């Protein structure tokens, strides 16, 4: 009987060691995975080639939730000032550091970060749901202060839409951003930088930006083209900033810094 009890105790201790080792390995894997893949910036909607499209307005709403999720809702109104149907591809992009692995992974699961940062993407074209397309490229540039390495991965998310001549078209883009690390890096970057393919070089007749902060971190500053955001917060627990400007060139970066 004592022999059986002793044997059981040895197996139990061995099992505990295995479980403990597995937990340590799991934690180390998470930490190393996080270090290899870092959110850098998200870009707003652009088009692939030059078209006679005027940006009538852009309404950008950014909500920072308590759980660290950042919800982005963008509403764009375009007008076709040409005399032919414009079928263009509208897209936005996400920049991250590339995960390094021992071998190339073509499974579309891990190395391209599918679903790690951008989640719940919804496109609406004139109030109708539209299917988005996705592509991934890699490029070597030092364009971010907080990037870990030179090799940057850019993911494109896009839809196509037809706008008849002399008519307006509306596109709504909604998505959630996770694992951005804003609480660690103390900043969040929304970029307007890209090629000038709209008429008048990406100038919008009206730009409205609303930023809602429900997180535990307070906003230190909001920087975009030296514009001053109005603090219209109604409580100490929820911050609300807004910007309304006309005739704005959509370039540069919107940077939200936290305390």
């Amino acid at each position: 009987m004592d022999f059986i009890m002793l044997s059981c105790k040895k197996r139990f201790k061995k099992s505990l060691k295995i479980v403990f080792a597995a937990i340590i390995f799991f934690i180390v894997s998470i930490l190393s995975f996080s270090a290899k893949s870092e959110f850098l910036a998200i870009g707003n909607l652009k088009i692939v080639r030059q078209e006679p499209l005027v940006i009538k307005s852009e309404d950008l709403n950014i909500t920072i939730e308590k759980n660290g999720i950042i919800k982005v809702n963008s509403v764009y109104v375009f007008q076709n000032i040409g005399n032919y149907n414009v079928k263009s591809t509208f897209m936005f992009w996400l920049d991250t550091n590339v995960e390094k692995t021992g071998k190339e992974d073509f499974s579309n699961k891990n190395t391209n970060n599918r679903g790690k940062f951008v989640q719940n993407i919804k496109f609406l074209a004139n109030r109708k749901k539209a299917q988005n397309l996705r592509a991934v490229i890699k490029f070597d540039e030092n364009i971010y202060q907080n990037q870990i390495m030179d090799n940057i991965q850019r993911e494109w998310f896009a839809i196509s839409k037809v706008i008849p001549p002399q008519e307006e078209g509306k596109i709504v883009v909604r998505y959630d951003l996770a694992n951005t690390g804003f609480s660690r890096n103390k900043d969040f970057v929304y970029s307007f930088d890209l090629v000038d393919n709209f008429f008048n070089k990406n100038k919008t007749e009206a730009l409205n930006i609303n930023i809602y902060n429900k997180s535990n971190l307070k906003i230190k500053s909001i920087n975009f083209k030296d514009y001053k955001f109005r603090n219209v917060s109604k409580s100490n627990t929820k911050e609300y900033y807004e910007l309304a400007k006309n005739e704005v060139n959509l370039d540069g970066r919107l940077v939200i810094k936290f305390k």
Side-chain angles (χ1 to χ4, degrees), residues 230-245:
R230 291 180 60 233
N231 186 345
V232 290
S233 307
K234 295 182 178 180
S235 69
N236 294 327
T237 57
K238 297 179 182 178
E239 294 181 299
Y240 173 29
Y241 291 84
E242 66 177 13
L243 176 72
K245 292 290 181 181

Side-chain angles (χ1 to χ4, degrees), residues 50-66:
Q50 290 185 344
E51 299 286 8
L53 292 178
V54 172
I55 307 175
K56 302 294 290 184
S57 65
E58 176 178 352
D59 295 323
L60 173 64
N61 295 283
I62 298 174
T63 303
I64 303 134
E65 300 287 357
K66 286 184 178 181

Side-chain angles (χ1 to χ4, degrees), residues 85-103:
N85 285 347
V86 170
K87 182 178 181 180
S88 192
T89 300
F90 299 82
M91 59 190 180
F92 71 95
W93 51 266
L94 165 72
D95 278 356
T96 61
N97 284 303
V98 179
E99 284 181 46
K100 292 293 186 180
T101 57
K103 60 180 180 178

Side-chain angles (χ1 to χ4, degrees), residues 12-71:
F12 180 70
K13 287 181 179 180
K14 186 177 180 181
S15 299
L16 280 179
K17 288 181 180 179
I18 294 173
V19 171
F20 182 73
I23 292 173
I24 295 297
F25 175 78
F26 180 69
I27 293 173
V28 171
S29 297
I30 291 176
L31 292 175
S32 61
F33 177 81
S34 300
K36 292 177 182 177
S37 179
E38 183 178 3
F39 174 93
L40 295 175
I42 190 83
N44 78 330
L45 201 67
K46 298 294 179 181
I47 53 178
V48 176
R49 61 188 180 188
Q50 290 185 344
E51 299 286 8
L53 292 178
V54 172
I55 307 175
K56 302 294 290 184
S57 65
E58 176 178 352
D59 295 323
L60 173 64
N61 295 283
I62 298 174
T63 303
I64 303 134
E65 300 287 357
K66 286 184 178 181
N67 60 1
I69 299 294
I70 298 177
K71 294 183 178 294

Side-chain angles (χ1 to χ4, degrees), residues 18-239:
I18 294 173
V19 171
F20 182 73
I23 292 173
I24 295 297
F25 175 78
F26 180 69
I27 293 173
V28 171
S29 297
I30 291 176
L31 292 175
S32 61
F33 177 81
S34 300
K36 292 177 182 177
S37 179
E38 183 178 3
F39 174 93
L40 295 175
I42 190 83
N44 78 330
L45 201 67
K46 298 294 179 181
I47 53 178
V48 176
R49 61 188 180 188
Q50 290 185 344
E51 299 286 8
L53 292 178
V54 172
I55 307 175
K56 302 294 290 184
S57 65
E58 176 178 352
D59 295 323
L60 173 64
N61 295 283
I62 298 174
T63 303
I64 303 134
E65 300 287 357
K66 286 184 178 181
N67 60 1
I69 299 294
I70 298 177
K71 294 183 178 294
V72 179
N73 184 77
S74 304
V75 181
Y76 306 86
V77 177
F78 308 102
Q79 182 180 15
N80 180 1
I81 61 173
N83 54 10
Y84 59 89
N85 285 347
V86 170
K87 182 178 181 180
S88 192
T89 300
F90 299 82
M91 59 190 180
F92 71 95
W93 51 266
L94 165 72
D95 278 356
T96 61
N97 284 303
V98 179
E99 284 181 46
K100 292 293 186 180
T101 57
K103 60 180 180 178
E104 290 289 340
D105 182 5
F106 300 101
S107 64
N108 210 20
K109 292 180 181 179
N110 208 17
T111 54
N112 61 14
N113 297 319
R114 175 184 283 275
K116 182 182 179 183
F117 299 106
V118 179
Q119 302 171 355
N120 303 321
I121 303 174
K122 291 183 181 179
F123 280 93
L124 299 174
N126 288 350
R127 298 182 181 180
K128 295 181 179 179
K129 288 184 179 181
Q131 183 67 37
N132 73 85
L133 304 174
R134 179 177 174 276
V136 178
I137 64 170
K138 296 180 182 179
F139 59 94
D140 295 318
E141 288 186 35
N142 287 306
I143 57 177
Y144 295 102
Q145 291 182 350
N146 62 328
Q147 70 185 72
I148 299 173
M149 58 200 80
D150 294 342
N151 201 10
I152 301 298
Q153 176 175 284
R154 176 164 290 181
E155 296 182 61
W156 300 91
F157 302 86
I159 62 169
S160 293
K161 176 175 172 52
V162 176
I163 301 179
Q166 306 304 318
E167 291 190 16
E168 292 185 356
K170 179 184 288 188
I171 291 179
V172 179
V173 182
R174 296 171 184 162
Y175 50 85
D176 298 342
L177 293 171
N179 306 307
T180 61
F182 77 89
S183 60
R184 180 182 67 256
N185 300 327
K186 295 297 189 294
D187 64 15
F188 170 74
V189 180
Y190 183 93
S191 179
F192 293 94
D193 290 338
L194 202 63
V195 292
D196 300 329
N197 280 338
F198 286 107
F199 190 78
N200 286 336
K201 294 186 177 180
N202 294 348
K203 178 179 287 187
T204 179
E205 294 183 9
L207 174 65
N208 299 292
I209 301 176
N210 298 288
I211 299 173
Y212 305 91
N213 180 25
K214 302 177 183 178
S215 71
N216 296 326
L217 294 179
K218 297 297 182 182
I219 292 177
K220 180 180 180 181
S221 63
I222 304 173
N223 301 310
F224 176 58
K225 302 174 73 71
D226 296 324
Y227 291 139
K228 186 176 180 179
F229 284 75
R230 291 180 60 233
N231 186 345
V232 290
S233 307
K234 295 182 178 180
S235 69
N236 294 327
T237 57
K238 297 179 182 178
E239 294 181 299

